[in-house]
Amino acid sequence: MDSDYDDLDRQLVHALQIDPRAPFSTIADALGVSDRTIARRYARLRSTGAVRVIGGVNETASGAVQWFLRIRCAPAAAGAVAAALARRPDTAWVSLTSGGTEITCTVRIENEADSEALLLAKLPRTPRVEGVTAHSVLHAFYGGPDSLVAKLGVLDDATVARLRPPPIPLRPGPATLDDGDRKLLAALAADGRAGFEQLAAETGWSPTTVRRRMAELRERDVLYFDLDLDWRLHGKGIRTLLWLSVAPSALEEAGAALAAHPEVAFAAATTGPTNLYATAVCASQHELYRYLTTSVAALPAVTHVETAPVIKTVKRVANRL
């Protein structure tokens, strides 16, 4: 484990994964420490970039489309292009891979017309971009509200049960977002633990309206809460992107199996040259080799595997919808 973190840090992170907006007093009581200790620990972890609670948007429920882009650049241009992509409000996980000549990122787009504008017009005209491969997410097997922290968690079952909030009653049906909703989601993307008074100032609504609308967005499965985490806190320092080709008849089985791997933080079926994508987080190159030659090798009907170790992460999560 990284010497900068201790067991209480990891317990706090696990508690936040269970209930990201839980009061510090509730977490402190469950962990057997003072409220002040928990508040101080979270402030330190957040200020150093080790952990941050964020509000996320479920693309399926909101009608948005998520794309994975692989952008090949001239070697001298990759850094500048990655920085430009990171400044876009609709991008997340902007990373340099493949010796620094390829950029990978996710883009959340609200409709197909915007997808066409991004993929067919804007990116190819960017200077020194040599090629773009786009993968639209068809189905997420793991990720979003499902967090790798749950797989790495350090709390016992009794503490987990104590911290787990009541289930949210989901209401099926499409959700229509207005400008106020977008302001709310943007504020929660920046700080998922922001108080109702702060969110009211961001949206122009009253705190009561903010509370009600947050509840509605969660019931519609549009809004969820997640952790933006430095994996070194759990001794995991290597992030690798996996692009797999799987026989269509086995895609569901392979995706579900991949999602269950303790190394996998995200897994999805996609369009494009390959049809299954995953993000794997490992402690070392040796652990990555073991994972690829055992768990990945055992997946059914896989005909091709491409690995892309992340050299540098330029941007982790999106700023807003």
Side-chain angles (χ1 to χ4, degrees):
M1 296 291 184
D2 194 296
S3 59
D4 290 340
Y5 308 116
D6 61 17
D7 286 341
L8 182 57
D9 291 328
R10 288 180 279 275
Q11 290 171 357
L12 170 56
V13 168
H14 193 181
L16 289 170
Q17 183 273 322
I18 297 165
D19 187 358
R21 287 183 61 88
F24 287 145
S25 58
T26 300
I27 296 174
D29 186 54
L31 301 186
V33 297
S34 70
D35 299 10
R36 180 175 296 181
T37 295
I38 292 300
R40 185 173 64 247
R41 287 296 182 106
Y42 180 72
R44 178 177 66 83
L45 291 172
R46 194 181 190 285
S47 67
T48 59
V51 69
R52 179 167 63 103
V53 175
I54 57 174
V57 177
N58 183 336
E59 284 82 10
T60 301
S62 66
V65 180
Q66 185 176 8
W67 290 85
F68 293 124
L69 303 183
R70 303 181 69 178
I71 304 164
R72 297 180 301 283
C73 298
V81 174
L85 284 167
R87 289 192 292 269
R88 291 180 59 101
D90 53 0
T91 61
W93 292 107
V94 180
S95 303
L96 293 173
T97 64
S98 302
T101 61
E102 182 173 273
I103 302 163
T104 64
C105 71
T106 65
V107 182
R108 180 186 293 121
I109 300 174
E110 289 201 50
N111 55 60
E112 291 297 338
D114 288 343
S115 297
E116 181 178 348
L118 174 69
L119 300 175
L120 300 182
K122 294 180 182 179
L123 282 177
R125 294 177 183 174
T126 303
R128 293 177 289 179
V129 169
E130 298 176 348
V132 178
T133 304
H135 303 252
S136 176
V137 174
L138 299 175
H139 174 75
F141 293 103
Y142 195 83
D146 299 316
S147 173
L148 185 58
V149 176
K151 299 178 181 180
L152 302 174
V154 295
L155 298 177
D156 59 36
D157 292 344
T159 305
V160 170
R162 186 175 180 180
L163 286 165
R164 182 173 290 123
I168 297 172
L170 295 180
R171 295 191 292 164
T176 302
L177 303 181
D178 60 23
D179 288 342
D181 293 324
R182 292 184 177 86
K183 290 178 182 178
L184 175 61
L185 293 169
L188 290 170
D191 181 5
R193 289 187 60 87
F196 294 117
E197 293 285 349
Q198 178 183 341
L199 294 170
E202 295 278 353
T203 60
W205 293 338
S206 69
T208 300
T209 300
V210 169
R211 184 190 296 269
R212 175 182 55 78
R213 190 54 179 156
M214 278 182 60
E216 290 172 349
L217 290 173
R218 298 198 73 185
E219 290 170 359
R220 293 290 186 184
D221 201 26
V222 172
L223 171 66
Y224 66 89
F225 291 98
D226 193 8
L227 301 183
D228 176 21
L229 189 69
D230 181 349
W231 293 113
R232 289 175 296 181
L233 192 146
H234 288 277
K236 306 289 186 180
I238 297 176
R239 188 163 66 94
T240 303
L241 312 183
L242 307 180
W243 309 90
L244 302 91
S245 296
V246 181
S249 61
L251 183 57
E252 180 72 20
E253 180 185 359
L258 191 64
H261 293 171
E263 297 85 357
V264 169
F266 184 87
T270 71
T271 63
T274 57
N275 59 354
L276 185 59
Y277 166 85
T279 301
V281 182
C282 297
S284 64
Q285 295 286 0
H286 176 74
E287 183 177 299
L288 174 62
Y289 173 77
R290 179 204 55 76
Y291 172 60
L292 293 173
T293 56
T294 55
S295 300
V296 174
L299 292 172
V302 173
T303 58
H304 171 79
V305 178
E306 181 180 354
T307 59
V310 172
I311 297 172
K312 180 180 180 181
T313 301
V314 181
K315 177 182 181 181
R316 295 207 294 227
V317 294
N319 292 323
R320 63 180 176 86
L321 181 67

